[in-house]
Amino acid sequence: RWLPARTASRQPAGPAWRRLLPAAIAAALVVALAIVDVLIFWDWRHQPGKAERREQLIASVNAGVTRLLSYDYRHLDQDETTASARLTGKFRDDYIKSMDTTIKKNAPTEKAVVVGEVNSTAITSASGDGKQAVLLVLGQQTITNVKQTTPRNELVQLRVTAQLVHGKWLMANLTAL
């Protein structure tokens, strides 16, 4: 018997863009996801971790306390400017007033040189939003002047309140303990 050969049924191919449409949609989705990833998650991935933020806070407060506890009668204006740049709010205003009324008035005649040093710092609390912290700072000041020719060391124990202002930790208050 003779059987007719089977022929594959062919359907018309249709427009070429219809065949490429799924691939084009997939490519557009990949590009869109890449853009979203860059725009949304870039900042998140490059934010410092919790440990790094603690280190930044402590380093900033230590540098600020060191500057705040130090002055030299030969360059009081520079010392004031350097220290006040690490302060904020009323505490900054009070520091400048104290420098102007007390230190700048007496340090030159006494030839006072005070060198602050931080020995240890611990964070005692932090606000829920991470923009304020309280730290305990232990250190010392080495003092020399015309009356005190042999350097005298004084221990310093401080409670420091720091605030995050425009991405920078500044001291907002300081209490001697």
Side-chain angles (χ1 to χ4, degrees):
R1 304 183 178 167
W2 180 81
L3 295 171
R6 285 192 165 188
T7 59
S9 63
R10 292 188 176 198
Q11 296 181 358
W17 66 268
R18 274 198 165 163
R19 285 179 290 162
L20 298 176
L21 186 61
I25 291 173
L29 284 173
V30 167
V31 170
L33 287 174
I35 290 170
V36 167
D37 179 50
V38 168
L39 294 177
I40 293 177
F41 298 114
W42 181 264
D43 282 344
W44 176 77
R45 275 192 249 135
H46 291 88
Q47 291 293 321
K50 196 173 189 178
E52 189 176 335
R53 287 192 310 264
R54 278 194 310 262
E55 289 173 16
Q56 289 172 348
L57 167 60
I58 289 172
S60 182
V61 168
N62 286 350
V65 168
T66 299
R67 295 305 323 142
L68 189 71
L69 296 179
S70 303
Y71 61 87
D72 186 320
Y73 73 97
R74 294 168 287 208
H75 42 78
L76 292 170
D77 289 334
Q78 179 184 352
D79 294 340
E80 178 184 346
T81 300
T82 303
S84 66
R86 297 183 172 273
L87 311 177
T88 188
K90 185 177 182 326
F91 183 58
R92 182 180 187 278
D93 297 338
D94 291 345
Y95 168 76
I96 291 170
K97 183 178 178 182
S98 175
M99 282 294 286
D100 291 341
T101 59
T102 306
I103 305 299
K104 288 182 180 179
K105 183 178 175 182
N106 298 320
T109 57
E110 294 179 9
K111 295 188 179 185
V113 177
V114 180
V115 179
E117 180 181 336
V118 173
N119 298 328
S120 180
T121 303
I123 301 170
T124 61
S125 65
S127 64
D129 63 3
K131 294 183 179 182
Q132 186 173 28
V134 177
L135 300 89
L136 176 63
V137 179
L138 305 175
Q140 66 182 17
Q141 285 182 303
T142 303
I143 303 164
T144 55
N145 56 42
V146 292
K147 297 175 190 171
Q148 186 74 41
T149 55
T150 303
R152 180 181 83 233
N153 290 327
E154 289 187 4
L155 295 179
V156 178
Q157 299 175 353
L158 307 169
R159 181 182 309 122
V160 177
T161 302
Q163 289 182 339
L164 190 59
V165 179
H166 304 296
K168 187 175 176 183
W169 284 104
L170 302 176
M171 292 185 294
N173 198 5
L174 182 140
T175 306
L177 303 174

